[in-house]
Amino acid sequence: MSQVLHNDAIVKPPGILARLQASAGRTIRKLAEEPLGMAGFLILAMLVVVAVFAPLISPYGPNVQMLSDALKPPSLAHLAGTDEFGRDIVSRLVWGTRITIQTVLSVSVIVGPVGLIIGVVAGFFGGRTDAILMRATDIVLSFPSLILALAFAAALGAGLNTAIIAISLTAWPPIARLARAESLVVRNADYVAAARLYGASPVRILLLYIAPMCIPSVIVRLTLNMAGIILTAASLGFLGLGAQPPSPEWGAMISSGRKFMLDYWWVAVMPGIAILLTSLAFNIVGDTLRDLLDPRHARS
Amino acid sequence: MPDRNPSTILSVCDLNVRFGKNSIAAVSNVSFDLGRERIGIVGESGSGKSTTGRAIMRLLAPSAHISAERLDLDGSPLLEKTERQMGALRGKDMALIMQDPRYSLNPVLNIGRQVAEAARLHLGSSRKQALDETRAMLRRVRINDADRVMKLYPHQISGGMGQRVMIAMMLLSKPKLVIADEPTSALDVSVRKDVLILLDELVRENNSGLILISHDIRMVAAFCERILVMYAGRVVETLTRLDEAEHAYTRGLIAALPDPRNPVRRLQVLDRRTLETTPEATE
Amino acid sequence: MIKVDKLDVVYGTGRARNHAVRGVSFSVAKGETLGIVGESGCGKSTVLRSLAGIEQGWTGSVEFNGTPIGKLRSRDELKLSQMVFQDPYGSLHPRHRIGTALAEPIRSMGLGDGWSKVPQALKQVGLPEDFANRFPHELSGGQRQRVAIARALILSPPILLLDEPTSALDVSIQAEILNLLDDQRDERGLTFVLVSHDLSVIAHMCDRVLVMQNGVFLDEMTKADLRAGTTHAAYSQELFEANFL
């Protein structure tokens, strides 16, 4: 038994930054043992770097037209070839990363907290609150997201922000259901009963006790959903409802490349590969995160 | 090492179990011979008692490294067998009765089918024969309305009855070696004795050997002829009666038990530091 | 200190109706330790949880120190009794550090920041101060139970309700925890209600024991009765014999 040391540093909890650092450190150490997961994370990291440093990385501007060089196959000068307007496809892909990252981040930032709160409130309070919230969730879940997005585009006008809102509106129900399922289990735990015994208010219990237990599953689910979100955004772009031309959105690029598929395959296939790699990376990362963040690991 | 007695069912010499990259062995140099008798392995959590039982059955995770100078079932070495050969032995010549029937019985099959499955697999019975054998075995474990119980599912029966079903299933083929890993810990106090008596009867009837693994030293002392006390993976003492205890750990364990017939003001607490340095007794 | 009259708890309706506690009455004097022993499903945990306020579907009357206690409790009423749960692995939030877990009762009650009380609380249950920064999964079962006890005592309640506090622990750790509970009880003059299926633990800790079966109390034994093995009902005799093979 140690002597009583009157030093606040021992007793006060480490600040949020220190805590995040510690848990990040633990996670990275566990990650080192999963090569596939590492690969996925690296791809995503590269994507972020490319998005941030797009102006420095892209060899040409995204909208610079060189009509004399239109529809040239991949070569040293244009690693992915050029499109019908003579724009370098690599540059367009690089600038398009920004749009992809923006879409994915915005949707997650909206859908994550909204789904979490709705699910956790429904699961914890049960009864009529649960019934009402879940029926609302069911109703939204039954909407096909693409159709809703079309409706929105018609109402609000096509554009990236409309696409983001449309996707978010239909992406939250699975998160809500997941959070609800987790909170149904957690609310029966002894530590929640103990919290009630020392007078914790329902809001306190929700935010400090129940929500933290649901967050890992939500993060994993969000990551796994991202592949779907990218594809939906690409579909919207394909239909002309996402980012508008001349924005180098990958889906829109496939759409315009459709006409030249047979003779000039690279115009449509290159953005397709980009979407494939990104979705794959998100799927791998989601799977890996599930192994890393599973609370059962933490409990042992 | 004693001579190989022809009636020795299980012979274990220097059994070691290590998990993965851990440098500390879960089970370390455990040796004993089991004849047609009942021995108990007693220890607290982490002592290695359950790991020993499962190592004998070779039911540990692939990351476990089992090594022994000798691990023979009726003269036949177990460590050399393939998984397939072990599969043929398990349930037929060696049986494991686990702690909680809620988790060890298949929740989606009714009792009749589960027990009959054991009969069909290990006795080669036909469907009808297996059902008859099941009925007979259930009555043998004192479940009188066997026909009704055979149609029930595990969640519909009590813990005590579930454990008796487990015993029926495992002892149907009259195995030579029965390992019971905390068979009564999940049961109510009043049914524990009945289950143990039943197990005892069946083991004697079949002339088998029983290894009873438990944390309850008093219960083991009441039922077993020999008691092996394990601590930190090693057997620290072998006893036939509780009052023979000499090793510091065994004595500490017995003294830490509250006994209403000898009430004490404060319970004696194990001094673990001396345990690390106390030499182990061998017999 | 505790007075319970005709406590009744019924779960479910129709065919799934379970009359868990059937109108039991008992009282506990100040500083006394009352034990309730019985097998699983007899209703002993339900009685304890009703006293604690976790179980809110009870009828009857409950008084702590003369004050009638209702189903929904005010902060002052909650401060009168705290509970130690059976499972040391489930009673601490896996993502809260020990220090946070100990400070929570004080913060939830709005009594301040709580951190100042943490070192003393750890010391009283025999844990080193730097455990405040650890997570529950870094502690052993016995250490977690000590933290649970420290947490229950941090609001200084006069009554402690214990639900099989050592059932999940090894015998040697059980001895340490029972000694700790003994010490705290003597130091603070606490009133205990201890529920267990283990008659030896009950006999060691309690002044008086109520034997419960199917929602009713069948027998009452004093410490002397337990020592001599004197029972007044067939069921308690059965329990007695079953506990000591």
Side-chain angles (χ1 to χ4, degrees):
Chain A
M1 236 191 297
S2 54
Q3 296 298 320
V4 176
L5 285 164
H6 293 286
N7 185 347
D8 276 336
I10 298 178
V11 179
K12 276 240 172 335
I16 299 227
L17 228 63
R19 270 187 279 179
L20 278 174
Q21 230 174 333
S23 63
R26 278 196 301 269
T27 317
I28 290 179
R29 251 167 285 141
K30 277 196 260 183
L31 183 57
E33 296 172 15
E34 314 242 358
L36 195 60
M38 274 298 252
F41 268 103
L42 282 173
I43 295 180
L44 287 188
M46 246 176 35
L47 224 67
V48 173
V49 163
V50 164
V52 167
F53 294 110
L56 300 171
I57 297 177
S58 106
Y60 304 84
N63 298 319
V64 170
Q65 299 186 4
M66 293 167 284
L67 288 165
S68 54
D69 281 338
L71 296 172
K72 281 265 166 21
S75 63
L76 278 175
H78 300 279
L79 287 170
T82 57
D83 67 1
E84 69 273 29
F85 294 114
R87 295 179 290 201
D88 177 40
I89 292 183
V90 167
S91 314
R92 285 178 67 75
L93 286 182
V94 161
W95 282 87
T97 344
R98 287 194 165 186
I99 299 179
T100 309
I101 302 277
Q102 191 185 341
T103 313
V104 152
L105 273 181
S106 315
V107 171
S108 303
V109 158
I110 299 172
V111 159
V114 166
L116 181 66
I117 292 179
I118 293 181
V120 163
V121 166
F124 181 67
F125 289 108
R128 218 181 292 177
T129 320
D130 184 15
I132 294 175
L133 285 174
M134 282 300 108
R135 294 301 78 77
T137 310
D138 285 339
I139 290 174
V140 178
L141 193 58
S142 54
F143 275 105
S145 48
L146 211 48
I147 312 288
L148 190 67
L150 284 171
F152 258 87
L156 298 176
L160 186 59
N161 290 331
T162 319
I164 290 176
I165 294 174
I167 299 175
S168 308
L169 273 171
T170 50
W172 65 265
I175 309 286
R177 292 194 120 171
L178 188 63
R180 174 182 177 271
E182 297 266 335
S183 75
L184 279 179
V185 171
V186 171
R187 76 173 179 179
N188 291 327
D190 280 345
Y191 53 81
V192 172
R196 269 193 257 246
L197 280 186
Y198 46 71
S201 66
V203 174
R204 191 183 183 87
I205 295 180
L206 267 180
L207 290 178
L208 292 182
Y209 291 78
I210 313 239
M213 297 302 287
C214 304
I215 286 180
S217 308
V218 166
I219 291 181
V220 169
R221 190 59 198 262
L222 272 178
T223 317
L224 288 172
N225 277 355
M226 276 183 205
I229 291 172
I230 294 171
L231 291 170
T232 309
S235 313
L236 287 175
F238 186 86
L239 292 171
L241 292 168
Q244 294 297 293
S247 228
E249 202 265 312
W250 294 347
M253 286 167 73
I254 300 182
S255 176
S256 52
R258 232 182 344 144
K259 305 191 268 289
F260 314 102
M261 270 281 269
L262 289 173
D263 299 315
Y264 311 101
W265 54 270
W266 54 90
V267 186
V269 170
M270 292 303 175
I273 293 179
I275 295 178
L276 171 69
L277 275 178
T278 314
S279 304
L280 196 61
F282 271 115
N283 273 335
I284 293 174
V285 165
D287 258 346
T288 313
L289 272 183
R290 184 180 22 223
D291 293 338
L292 290 178
L293 290 180
D294 193 329
R296 276 159 282 245
H297 283 201
R299 269 181 224 150
S300 60
Chain B
M1 221 57 58
D3 289 332
R4 293 251 238 108
N5 191 330
S7 77
T8 301
I9 294 176
L10 181 71
S11 180
V12 181
C13 185
D14 276 345
L15 177 66
N16 278 284
V17 179
R18 219 167 272 270
F19 283 101
K21 305 182 218 105
N22 280 346
S23 51
I24 304 175
V27 173
S28 186
N29 291 355
V30 167
S31 306
F32 62 90
D33 282 339
L34 174 70
R36 299 181 196 286
E37 55 181 327
R38 288 156 308 287
I39 67 169
I41 304 183
V42 169
E44 300 182 299
S45 46
S47 58
K49 59 188 195 302
S50 286
T51 312
T52 305
R54 281 166 204 257
I56 294 171
M57 302 277 293
R58 287 190 49 203
L59 277 176
L60 292 172
S63 63
H65 303 292
I66 311 174
S67 66
E69 175 153 339
R70 194 167 66 229
L71 183 62
D72 291 352
L73 178 69
D74 229 7
S76 161
L78 290 175
L79 287 178
E80 294 163 19
K81 296 199 190 296
T82 63
E83 184 52 31
R84 208 159 166 203
Q85 290 167 321
M86 284 303 295
L89 282 180
R90 285 186 210 120
K92 188 152 194 291
D93 293 321
M94 29 196 257
L96 177 66
I97 297 172
M98 286 168 272
Q99 179 173 341
D100 197 340
R102 282 176 303 173
Y103 301 120
S104 56
L105 291 175
N106 189 333
V108 298
L109 290 179
N110 65 30
I111 305 290
R113 279 190 68 177
Q114 290 192 50
V115 182
E117 188 179 32
R120 296 185 72 184
L121 269 176
H122 298 296
L123 299 179
S125 317
S126 68
R127 271 183 83 186
K128 177 147 188 337
Q129 258 179 311
L131 284 174
D132 290 333
E133 279 157 5
T134 302
R135 206 169 289 123
M137 196 66 198
L138 286 178
R139 290 209 185 100
R140 182 71 193 80
V141 298
R142 292 199 263 275
I143 295 176
N144 291 322
D145 44 353
D147 284 305
R148 183 188 70 95
V149 171
M150 278 166 71
K151 297 201 185 80
L152 293 177
Y153 284 86
H155 68 271
Q156 294 173 303
I157 57 177
S158 70
M161 195 176 279
Q163 205 62 317
R164 278 184 272 164
V165 166
M166 179 104 244
I167 292 174
M169 209 156 66
M170 292 293 151
L171 267 58
L172 195 77
S173 53
K174 303 197 198 299
K176 298 178 204 142
L177 171 67
V178 180
I179 303 179
D181 192 352
E182 305 264 16
T184 54
S185 305
L187 302 179
D188 277 336
V189 167
S190 59
V191 297
R192 285 182 193 182
K193 201 166 166 187
D194 290 335
V195 167
L196 282 175
I197 292 177
L198 177 66
L199 190 57
D200 193 47
E201 252 179 53
L202 285 170
V203 164
R204 280 183 209 260
E205 198 177 281
N206 296 338
N207 224 356
S208 325
L210 172 69
I211 302 179
L212 179 60
I213 301 175
S214 179
H215 63 274
D216 188 340
I217 195 170
R218 284 208 197 114
M219 174 183 88
V220 170
F223 269 88
C224 299
E225 282 140 25
R226 258 191 303 152
I227 309 167
L228 272 64
V229 180
M230 283 188 75
Y231 178 68
R234 288 167 199 277
V235 175
V236 296
E237 191 166 13
T238 310
L239 320 158
T240 47
R241 280 190 339 263
L242 282 185
D243 47 18
E244 277 175 16
E246 277 173 12
H247 193 274
Y249 176 68
T250 320
R251 295 179 105 166
L253 201 60
I254 298 173
L257 286 168
D259 186 352
R261 290 162 297 194
N262 304 315
V264 287
R265 177 71 190 78
R266 266 177 93 75
L267 292 167
Q268 208 173 313
V269 164
L270 275 178
D271 189 354
R272 289 175 206 277
R273 280 165 306 175
T274 60
L275 282 174
E276 304 304 319
T277 53
T278 306
E280 298 146 32
T282 43
E283 211 42 42
Chain C
M1 191 73 202
I2 304 178
K3 194 161 170 323
V4 175
D5 195 37
K6 297 207 197 41
L7 183 69
D8 203 281
V9 181
V10 182
Y11 291 122
T13 51
R15 249 191 294 169
R17 192 168 185 273
N18 177 13
H19 201 170
V21 179
R22 301 171 194 244
V24 299
S25 308
F26 62 94
S27 54
V28 189
K30 187 172 191 316
E32 188 186 5
T33 299
L34 177 73
I36 305 180
V37 72
E39 304 187 294
S40 49
C42 68
K44 58 193 194 295
S45 287
T46 313
V47 168
L48 204 70
R49 290 167 88 89
S50 307
L51 283 180
I54 303 173
E55 176 57 53
Q56 289 173 342
W58 53 270
T59 53
S61 86
V62 173
E63 275 179 27
F64 287 163
N65 214 7
T67 330
I69 303 279
K71 281 173 249 201
L72 288 174
R73 301 190 181 194
S74 69
R75 286 205 166 146
D76 287 327
E77 285 168 356
L78 285 172
K79 276 191 249 179
L80 290 174
S81 70
Q82 286 292 312
M83 189 147 147
V84 176
F85 296 84
Q86 173 174 0
D87 181 10
Y89 297 76
S91 62
L92 298 177
H93 195 294
R95 298 210 193 279
H96 289 178
R97 284 169 204 265
I98 302 299
T100 315
L102 288 175
E104 267 301 292
I106 299 180
R107 295 169 126 183
S108 303
M109 285 276 178
L111 292 173
D113 150 286
W115 290 100
S116 43
K117 297 238 169 95
V118 169
Q120 178 69 356
L122 285 171
K123 184 162 171 232
Q124 281 188 330
V125 295
L127 290 174
E129 273 184 32
D130 59 4
F131 268 43
N133 283 337
R134 294 203 189 174
F135 284 99
H137 67 267
E138 296 171 39
L139 269 56
S140 70
Q143 289 167 334
R144 276 180 245 208
Q145 203 63 318
R146 286 176 194 263
V147 172
I149 293 171
R151 181 182 62 186
L153 292 175
I154 208 162
L155 289 172
S156 303
I159 300 171
L160 204 58
L161 304 169
L162 301 131
D163 190 358
E164 311 241 23
T166 56
S167 299
L169 302 174
D170 282 328
V171 164
S172 56
I173 310 288
Q174 173 174 276
E176 292 172 25
I177 300 292
L178 290 179
N179 286 348
L180 172 66
L181 285 170
D182 230 349
D183 292 340
Q184 290 297 314
R185 175 182 52 184
D186 292 339
E187 238 175 76
R188 296 171 185 243
L190 297 172
T191 307
F192 278 5
V193 178
L194 173 66
V195 155
S196 181
H197 66 272
D198 188 340
L199 208 47
S200 12
V201 166
I202 291 257
H204 175 78
M205 294 291 293
C206 304
D207 305 313
R208 217 172 20 113
V209 174
L210 295 170
V211 178
M212 194 164 185
Q213 188 190 36
N214 278 336
V216 289
F217 291 138
L218 293 178
D219 195 358
E220 184 177 319
M221 295 189 275
T222 60
K223 213 162 179 130
D225 286 337
L226 285 164
R227 195 175 316 168
T230 319
T231 58
H232 318 106
Y235 178 67
S236 6
Q237 186 62 26
E238 263 177 54
L239 265 187
F240 217 90
E241 281 170 14
N243 258 283
F244 311 110
L245 285 167

